[in-house]
């Protein structure tokens, strides 16, 4: 390997680091923060905490689902391997009684087979999570003109992922609004929401980072009662719902990491074996 | 294909087949016994890596196409369905998406290897040009593939790039409409991009066959850049290079797997997880990392048409490279000055990539513009950095390469692959470079 090319590689790494650093500096909001202790599903060996996913689902169901759809989610997903209510006794999640009972509490739209009339019926595990609004104009009309985005893959659709969601709903609304900032009617200041508040800024110094969001603060202490008696603080609710959304964005990510471990070990052993074959085959060639 | 065949049919059937379709002879001579310089280093393993990546993209792509729905209303969700509900769909989808990046990573190493060792020079010009064709086809394929998941960046990227053609005088508008299949990027556009994205890799595979054919006529170049003189300079491709390439492939796969299994989204853009919405334009529209330098060249020019021309010229100039380089010495091991300029060229490509990733008016040093306008833009801005980068990009090919070859004094070049001594033909005692057969 020539020195030149080795230097080139080092420079390439540096260049990539530079691009990454710059891209972050360009955003106009506070850097999202992970909860203290981080996320236990981070890293190559990270796994979801089932209890946390269950609490997170409850927060979504009782709070967020009033405004946000999750179009890619089916009730059966809750009982699949790696899901919040997975039970090894029921490898087919459609049979999982707990998932069935969760679904049954929710009404979904259907057509009456005899009359053709639209009806409501209790959901089954095979049903999608129903959307809170029949269409986009209806969603906007109920939210001061803003559209609550679908939350199915929101954790992948925002820089910072779960930490962003946690910061947005768990920390951002608690911060006092800086004196000198005029918050428009129907909007809320949130330092983690990317925006530009300079036109509403009359205070000293540069305008604060953050933006005006049309989502009213969704969480409040005690708003959700957790079945496992976890104290229901705003930050706890935010942490749990962010974990649930991180899972929902890629329900098979635990499978991905587990499969990856096997694949890496296999490839590593193969690499070693091929390397020694290489050394053996080339032993008599001077080059 | 070059040299005489070493194949001897052993069984009756082989002899029978050999006089009718000598396919086993062909395979033997091209893939097993092909005489290959014995001094190839690891930079020569990337051709094999590229062939593997092309295979992986085709296989995973065919499976994805079984489940993908090319319709503006369903495309986004169908990709998610593949990840969520298809058995091992997540694996196939992440392999394909990250595979594209790995493919480009490998092709850039492959191209820079050729620049460094002068592999594009006679008698390998056609080989090089076929490589350039492959690279161009790869760019087109990757661009269309990126549109298919129909996320925000897919859609708006497609709008920006197809609109470039509209900059052509007179015919631009009609061509764009024809390309779109309508008056905007919409369902017909998505459908034809899917159709062509499926087709292109097979076209690439065809050109790869020509590429390897063109390789096997002159044979491989090598790190010393000198011609093979005798059999002592070579080893048969199998097992020597199958095992060496195999080892490099394994290492490459380990890196690829790290992306697929542990950071499948880092090379992508978060905004592409938002379904395409023609009414909401993302703040920064950027292509995937491997196209950023060209995007920077495009935006460096205030005039749209000139920008488009320059962007295409950046690729076109590669095609005439063999005739721009006037140096007779192939390998830059013996061209220290050329090495320096190539290093700067590599840096310029990184700088251009950096510029392509950031908004044109963004300051480079500090957070404030300098306040000093040069022509149309602040001098402390991405625009001016892109212009410097683009200027060097073209100057390297159009000025440095032709002039340097005529003016530089290269180091002494060994006479053959097996000669260890770097001797000035004039200064060395006669016969010093003789008897290469004694080694190897
Ligand atoms: C699908 C993409 C490609 C595949 C599968 C491929 C495959 C190969 C293979 C197997 C070799 C011989 C092994 C080696 O030297 O690494 C080779 C050599 C070469 N390739 Fe490519 N290649 C591809 C793209 C390109 C591109 C984009 C270029 C240039 C623009 C290029 C230029 C060359 C040249 C000049 C050589 C001869 C190098 C030498 O023997 O020193 N190739 N290619």
């Amino acid at each position: 390997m020539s020195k030149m090319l080795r230097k080139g590689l080092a420079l390439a790494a540096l260049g990539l680091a530079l691009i990454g650093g710059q891209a972050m500096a360009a955003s106009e909001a506070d850097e999202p923060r992970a909860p203290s202790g981080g996320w236990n599903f981070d890293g190559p060996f990270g796994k979801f905490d089932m209890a946390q996913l269950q609490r997170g689902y409850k927060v979504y169901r009782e709070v967020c689902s009033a405004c946000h759809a999750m179009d890619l989610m089916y009730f059966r997903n809750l009982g699949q391997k790696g899901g919040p209510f997975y039970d090894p006794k029921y490898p087919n999640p459609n049979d999982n009684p707990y998932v069935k009972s969760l679904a049954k509490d929710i009404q979904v739209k259907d057509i009456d087979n005899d009359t053709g009339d639209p009806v409501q019926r209790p959901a089954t595990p095979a049903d999608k999570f129903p959307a809170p609004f029949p269409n986009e104009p209806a969603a906007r009309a109920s939210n001061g003109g803003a559209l609550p985005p679908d939350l199915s893959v929101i954790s992948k659709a925002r820089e910072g992922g779960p930490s962003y969601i946690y910061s947005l709903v768990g920390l951002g609304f608690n911060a006092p609004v800086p004196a000198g900032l005029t918050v428009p009617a129907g909007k809320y200041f949130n330092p983690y929401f990317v925006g530009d508040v300079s036109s509403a800024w009359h205070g000293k110094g540069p305008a604060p980072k953050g933006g005006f969001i049309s989502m009213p603060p969704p969480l409040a202490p005690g708003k959700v009662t957790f079945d496992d008696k976890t104290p229901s603080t705003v930050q706890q609710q935010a942490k749990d719902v962010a974990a649930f959304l991180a899972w929902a964005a890629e329900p098979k990510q635990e499978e991905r990491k587990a499969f990856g471990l096997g694949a890496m070990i296999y490839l590593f052993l193969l690499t070693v074996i091929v390397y020694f074959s290489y050394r053996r085959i080339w032993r008599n060639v001077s080059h | 294909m070059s040299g005489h065949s070493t194949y001897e049919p052993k069984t009756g059937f082989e002899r029978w087949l050999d006089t009718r379709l000598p396919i086993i002879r062909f395979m033997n001579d091209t893939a097993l016994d092909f005489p290959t310089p014995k001094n190839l280093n690891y930079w020569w393993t990337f051709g094999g890596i590229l062939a593997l990546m092309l295979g992986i993209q085709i296989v995973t792509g065919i499976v994805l196409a079984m489940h993908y729905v090319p319709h503006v209303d369903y495309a986004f969700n169908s990709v998610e369905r593949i990840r969520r509900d298809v058995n091992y769909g997540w694996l196939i989808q992440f392999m394909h998406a990250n595979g594209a990046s790995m493919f480009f990573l490998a092709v850039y190493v492959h191209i820079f290897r050729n620049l460094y060792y002068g592999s594009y020079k006679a008698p390998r010009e056609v080989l090089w040009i076929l490589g350039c064709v492959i690279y161009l086809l790869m760019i087109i394929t990757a661009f269309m593939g990126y549109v298919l998941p129909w996320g925000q960046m897919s859609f708006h990227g497609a709008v920006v790039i197809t609109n470039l053609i509209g900059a052509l005088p007179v015919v631009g508008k009609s061509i764009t409409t024809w390309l779109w299949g309508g008056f905007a990027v919409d369902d017909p556009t998505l459908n034809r991009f899917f159709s062509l994205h499926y087709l292109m890799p097979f076209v690439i595979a065809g050109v790869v066959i020509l590429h390897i054919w063109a390789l096997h006529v002159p044979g491989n170049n090598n790190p010393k850049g000198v011609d093979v003189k005798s059999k002592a300079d070579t080893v048969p491709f199998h097992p020597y290079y199958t095992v060496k390439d195999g080892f490099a492939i394994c290492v490459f796969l380990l890196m690829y797997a790290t992306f697929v299994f542990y950071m499948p989204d880092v090379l992508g853009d978060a905004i592409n997880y938002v379904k395409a919405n023609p009414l909401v334009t993302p703040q920064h529209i950027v292509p995937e990392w491997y196209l950023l330098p060209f995007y920077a060249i495009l935006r460096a020019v205030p005039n749209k048409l000139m920008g488009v021309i320059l962007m295409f010229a950046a690729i076109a100039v590669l095609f005439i490279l063999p005739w721009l380089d006037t140096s007779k010495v192939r390998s830059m091991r013996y061209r220290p000055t050329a090495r320096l300029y190539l290093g700067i060229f590599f840096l310029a490509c990184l700088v251009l990539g950096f510029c392509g990733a950031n908004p044109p008016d963004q300051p480079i040093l500090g957070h404030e513009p300098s306040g000093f306008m040069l022509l149309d833009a602040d001098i402390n801005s991405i625009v001016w950095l892109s212009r410097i980068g683009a200027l060097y990009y073209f100057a390297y090919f159009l000025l440095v390469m032709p002039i340097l070859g005529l003016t530089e004094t290269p180091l002494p070049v060994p006479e053959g692959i097996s000669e260890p001594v770097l001797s000035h033909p004039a200064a060395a005692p006669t016969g010093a470079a003789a008897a290469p057969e004694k080694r190897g």
Side-chain angles (χ1 to χ4, degrees), chain A:
Chain A
M1 228 193 283
S2 89
K3 218 189 279 165
M4 171 79 231
L5 288 166
R6 231 174 305 158
K7 254 188 265 166
L9 281 183
L11 280 170
L14 189 84
L16 288 178
L18 218 75
I19 291 174
Q22 198 72 20
M24 264 182 236
S27 73
E28 295 121 19
D30 276 358
E31 205 55 44
R33 285 202 281 146
S36 56
W39 300 105
N40 39 16
F41 51 87
D42 264 350
F45 301 102
K47 274 189 173 349
F48 285 103
D49 171 357
M50 291 272 274
Q52 181 172 50
L53 291 187
Q54 295 174 1
R55 294 193 299 270
Y57 173 68
K58 198 161 187 205
V59 178
Y60 169 73
R61 180 53 60 209
E62 293 180 6
V63 184
C64 322
S65 74
C67 302
H68 292 280
M70 286 186 86
D71 193 40
L72 294 167
M73 289 293 287
Y74 293 77
F75 288 99
R76 65 176 158 81
N77 292 131
L78 298 172
Q80 78 184 35
K81 206 162 180 219
F85 302 103
Y86 173 63
D87 183 341
K89 269 198 301 224
Y90 304 98
N92 177 351
N94 292 301
D95 302 334
N96 184 316
Y98 196 75
V99 172
K100 280 187 185 170
S101 75
L102 282 175
K104 210 164 71 212
D105 292 343
I106 315 289
Q107 293 287 313
V108 291
K109 275 195 273 202
D110 205 344
I111 300 289
D112 186 311
N113 267 343
D114 298 323
T115 65
D117 293 334
V119 289
Q120 295 272 340
R121 63 160 173 82
T124 70
D127 282 308
K128 258 188 190 180
F129 285 13
F133 302 105
N135 49 47
E136 187 181 323
R140 285 191 189 273
S142 308
N143 285 283
L147 179 70
D150 189 283
L151 294 186
S152 311
V153 282
I154 195 83
S155 176
K156 282 178 184 270
R158 295 290 185 277
E159 294 295 339
S163 299
Y164 171 68
I165 297 164
Y166 165 74
S167 305
L168 184 78
V169 298
L171 309 175
F173 292 112
N174 299 357
V177 176
L181 191 66
T182 321
V183 180
K187 300 220 176 220
Y188 307 84
F189 175 71
N190 193 313
Y192 298 98
F193 189 62
V194 179
D196 183 359
V197 299
S198 50
S199 60
W201 175 243
H202 312 290
K204 280 194 279 292
K209 287 190 200 171
F212 297 126
I213 189 168
S214 302
M215 169 165 67
L219 302 173
K223 192 157 181 177
V224 180
T225 313
F226 292 129
D227 304 335
D228 59 4
K229 309 255 170 12
T230 304
S232 186
T233 61
V234 167
Q235 291 191 19
Q236 186 67 43
Q237 295 163 16
K239 199 161 98 177
D240 293 344
V241 77
F244 171 73
L245 293 174
W247 168 78
E250 196 192 337
K252 300 230 174 132
Q253 58 194 288
E254 276 186 5
E255 186 186 339
R256 158 162 68 76
K257 291 178 193 173
F259 190 99
L261 184 64
M264 297 300 283
I265 293 173
Y266 172 81
L267 278 173
F268 180 74
L269 293 178
L270 188 68
T271 308
V272 171
I273 293 170
V274 177
Y275 178 70
F276 283 108
S277 323
Y278 159 63
R279 292 300 298 266
R280 198 178 147 74
I281 287 172
W282 280 77
R283 71 192 181 285
N284 291 329
V285 184
S286 72
H287 60 287

Side-chain angles (χ1 to χ4, degrees), chain A residues 1-16 18-20 22-23 25-26 28 43-45 71-74 76-77 80 128 136 140 147 152-154 156-159 194 247-253 255-268 270-279 281-287, chain B residues 37-43 76-77 80-81 83-91 94 109 112-113 116-117 235 239-244 246-248 250-251 253-255 257-265 268-271 273-275 277 280 283-284 289 292 333 339-340 342-344 346-347 350 353-354 357-359 362-364 366-367 439-440:
Chain A
M1 228 193 283
S2 89
K3 218 189 279 165
M4 171 79 231
L5 288 166
R6 231 174 305 158
K7 254 188 265 166
L9 281 183
L11 280 170
L14 189 84
L16 288 178
L18 218 75
I19 291 174
Q22 198 72 20
E28 295 121 19
F45 301 102
D71 193 40
L72 294 167
M73 289 293 287
Y74 293 77
R76 65 176 158 81
N77 292 131
Q80 78 184 35
K128 258 188 190 180
E136 187 181 323
R140 285 191 189 273
L147 179 70
S152 311
V153 282
I154 195 83
K156 282 178 184 270
R158 295 290 185 277
E159 294 295 339
V194 179
W247 168 78
E250 196 192 337
K252 300 230 174 132
Q253 58 194 288
E255 186 186 339
R256 158 162 68 76
K257 291 178 193 173
F259 190 99
L261 184 64
M264 297 300 283
I265 293 173
Y266 172 81
L267 278 173
F268 180 74
L270 188 68
T271 308
V272 171
I273 293 170
V274 177
Y275 178 70
F276 283 108
S277 323
Y278 159 63
R279 292 300 298 266
I281 287 172
W282 280 77
R283 71 192 181 285
N284 291 329
V285 184
S286 72
H287 60 287
Chain B
K38 62 183 186 179
N39 62 334
L40 300 187
N41 55 30
Y42 282 110
W43 300 115
F76 183 89
N77 282 8
E80 280 296 329
R81 282 288 291 226
R83 285 193 185 169
R84 287 157 189 264
D85 290 335
V86 174
N87 288 328
Y88 293 102
W90 58 268
L91 178 62
F94 281 141
V109 176
F112 270 94
R113 187 276 317 263
Y116 187 85
Y117 293 111
V235 289
Y240 291 96
Y241 282 106
T242 39
V243 75
K244 188 169 184 171
F247 170 60
C250 286
V251 174
L253 285 179
L254 268 169
M255 181 198 58
T258 309
F259 279 100
V260 169
F261 294 115
Y262 300 114
M263 35 188 182
D265 292 314
D269 203 300
I271 204 83
Y273 276 105
V274 179
K275 207 183 275 190
N277 182 351
V280 180
Q283 211 180 0
H284 306 304
W289 69 268
L292 288 172
R333 275 195 187 171
R339 213 149 65 199
L340 181 73
L342 178 64
I344 302 174
F346 180 69
L347 212 69
L350 290 185
F354 167 75
N358 287 287
Q362 183 178 306
I364 301 152
H367 292 285
R439 298 189 74 256

Side-chain angles (χ1 to χ4, degrees), chain B residues 37 40 42-54 103 106-108 110-115 117-121 124-136 138 204-205 207-208 211-212 214-216 219-223 237 245 318:
Chain B
L40 300 187
Y42 282 110
W43 300 115
W44 262 262
T45 60
F46 281 84
I49 290 172
L50 283 164
L52 176 78
M53 287 315 298
L54 180 62
F103 202 168
V107 92
Y108 285 132
H110 195 69
I111 293 175
F112 270 94
R113 187 276 317 263
N114 294 327
L115 292 179
Y117 293 111
S119 299
Y120 49 85
K121 295 184 199 188
R124 298 185 181 81
E125 301 94 321
V126 173
L127 171 58
W128 165 262
I129 289 172
L130 288 167
C132 294
V133 172
I134 293 172
Y135 177 52
L136 186 63
M138 276 173 68
I204 294 179
V207 186
V208 167
H211 187 71
I212 293 175
L215 168 74
H216 282 193
N220 287 89
N221 183 25
N222 65 79
F237 188 78
D245 283 1
L318 295 174

Side-chain angles (χ1 to χ4, degrees), chain B residues 174-418:
Chain B
S174 345
I175 295 185
T176 321
T177 308
W178 174 72
L179 216 72
W180 284 339
F183 297 99
V185 174
D186 207 335
D187 211 34
T189 327
L190 178 60
N191 262 288
R192 60 191 55 191
F193 276 22
F194 178 48
S195 167
L196 294 173
H197 182 70
Y198 203 139
L199 170 70
M200 293 299 262
F202 296 95
V203 179
I204 294 179
V207 186
V208 167
I209 292 173
L210 295 181
H211 187 71
I212 293 175
W213 186 4
L215 168 74
H216 282 193
V217 176
N220 287 89
N221 183 25
N222 65 79
K224 290 186 177 171
V226 295
D227 289 332
V228 166
K229 288 223 180 100
S230 70
K231 226 175 142 47
D233 289 345
T234 67
V235 289
F237 188 78
H238 180 75
Y240 291 96
Y241 282 106
T242 39
V243 75
K244 188 169 184 171
D245 283 1
F247 170 60
I249 284 173
C250 286
V251 174
F252 191 82
L253 285 179
L254 268 169
M255 181 198 58
Y256 178 22
T258 309
F259 279 100
V260 169
F261 294 115
Y262 300 114
M263 35 188 182
D265 292 314
V266 291
L267 297 170
D269 203 300
I271 204 83
N272 222 30
Y273 276 105
V274 179
K275 207 183 275 190
N277 182 351
L279 302 177
V280 180
T281 309
Q283 211 180 0
H284 306 304
I285 300 176
V286 284
E288 293 278 86
W289 69 268
Y290 41 80
L291 300 180
L292 288 172
F294 299 111
Y295 194 53
I297 292 177
L298 170 77
R299 291 191 311 182
V301 190
N303 177 293
K304 190 165 154 191
L305 179 60
M306 278 309 292
V308 175
I309 292 174
L310 219 60
M311 183 174 75
F312 282 109
I315 298 171
V317 71
L318 295 174
F319 282 78
I320 53 165
L321 193 63
W323 296 277
L324 290 174
D325 190 343
T326 52
S327 168
K328 293 274 175 297
V329 178
R330 287 199 195 103
S331 174
M332 284 200 191
R333 275 195 187 171
Y334 314 108
R335 300 182 63 200
T337 322
R339 213 149 65 199
L340 181 73
Y341 282 107
L342 178 64
I344 302 174
F345 175 74
F346 180 69
L347 212 69
C349 291
L350 290 185
V351 166
L352 283 171
F354 167 75
C355 292
N358 287 287
D361 51 0
Q362 183 178 306
I364 301 152
L365 301 172
H367 292 285
E368 296 301 320
S370 69
F372 182 76
M373 298 288 281
L374 184 59
L375 300 177
D376 59 339
D378 194 282
I379 47 166
N380 182 17
S381 68
I382 290 284
V383 177
W384 274 108
L385 190 62
S386 328
R387 286 177 185 168
I388 296 168
L391 201 68
Y392 186 80
Y393 183 100
F394 286 105
Y396 177 70
F397 291 121
L398 300 174
L399 295 175
V400 175
M401 280 206 155
I403 296 173
L404 193 64
L406 302 174
T407 57
E408 78 183 335
T409 330
L411 300 177
V413 177
E415 293 184 4
I417 288 175
S418 302

